[in-house]
Amino acid sequence: MADIKQFPGKQTFRKNLKADILDEYFKREGLNFFRRINARDTREDPFDTVVFMTALPAGKLHKVACTVITDNSMYVVIRVHLGTAPKGPARKTFMDFLNGLNARHAIGKYSINEEDNVFLDICITSRSEKFDPYVVRTCLDLLVYHLNECYDDVARRLDKTGDQVDGYNM
């Protein structure tokens, strides 16, 4: 029988190296439209989460909030807040519509959280020592293209668009 060892009770802190690499890349490339937020400044965070926030153009008239979420795991998540989902009978057709988008587009996945916020997420895997910030940049470029192509169709089905919502939880 295998010997099972418990994880230590106290977690050891590991620095989020990806955030510094990404921050340096943004500065070097002149991408000064991101605001850096260190989660450790606001709460206890063993993952050393750092969020880069910006707004992206979406469709013909909208701007939507976008975050690049980094931590000391092997993941970087790009999350775009699209707005709030409809309620009532329109909810089912909206869910079918999102499922269709998820089936057709591989760049990201659409989801709805408990508060009816609609998100588009891209997940990038990379260990800190192999992290390439250009991959994040490429994904952001693809997101802007995708949002310009699809957001007007999404927006007309939402209860509120991303730029009409007054606060939400990522």
Side-chain angles (χ1 to χ4, degrees):
M1 184 178 237
D3 186 28
I4 299 174
K5 295 184 180 186
Q6 295 282 346
F7 286 102
K10 183 180 177 190
Q11 285 196 333
T12 56
F13 176 77
R14 293 184 323 184
K15 177 130 176 71
N16 173 0
L17 300 174
K18 293 179 289 194
D20 292 338
I21 294 167
L22 190 58
D23 198 24
E24 174 63 33
Y25 174 80
F26 286 157
K27 287 176 183 169
R28 186 175 61 246
E29 295 295 315
L31 303 173
N32 57 1
F33 41 84
F34 286 92
R35 187 176 84 213
R36 180 179 173 147
I37 301 167
N38 298 323
R40 287 183 74 79
D41 295 344
T42 59
R43 63 177 162 65
E44 181 72 24
D45 181 20
F47 299 103
D48 195 21
T49 305
V50 177
V51 177
F52 296 88
M53 293 191 73
T54 192
L56 296 178
K60 293 180 179 133
L61 304 171
H62 301 280
K63 284 196 178 256
V64 292
C66 175
T67 59
V68 179
I69 305 165
T70 67
D71 60 23
N72 58 24
S73 73
M74 64 184 284
Y75 302 102
V76 171
V77 176
I78 301 172
R79 174 164 267 197
V80 179
H81 181 253
L82 302 174
T84 56
K87 295 167 183 52
R91 177 73 166 222
K92 183 183 177 344
T93 58
F94 183 70
M95 295 296 290
D96 292 341
F97 172 72
L98 287 187
N99 285 335
L101 288 174
N102 282 336
R104 283 191 306 278
H105 300 285
I107 183 66
K109 293 301 170 197
Y110 291 86
S111 65
I112 302 174
N113 74 0
E114 307 81 43
E115 292 90 29
D116 291 328
N117 291 301
V118 181
F119 296 105
L120 175 56
D121 294 332
I122 295 176
C123 185
I124 302 166
T125 57
S126 176
R127 302 297 300 163
S128 295
E129 58 275 3
K130 300 283 186 181
F131 177 64
D132 182 358
Y134 189 73
V135 174
V136 173
R137 170 80 181 269
T138 301
C139 288
L140 288 168
D141 290 345
L142 289 169
L143 257 177
V144 169
Y145 177 80
H146 176 73
L147 290 171
N148 281 326
E149 293 288 311
C150 296
Y151 188 71
D152 288 334
D153 198 21
V154 172
R156 70 183 180 82
R157 300 164 192 268
L158 294 168
D159 188 36
K160 290 183 179 175
T161 61
D163 44 8
Q164 293 174 325
V165 175
D166 224 12
Y168 56 90
N169 289 323
M170 289 300 239

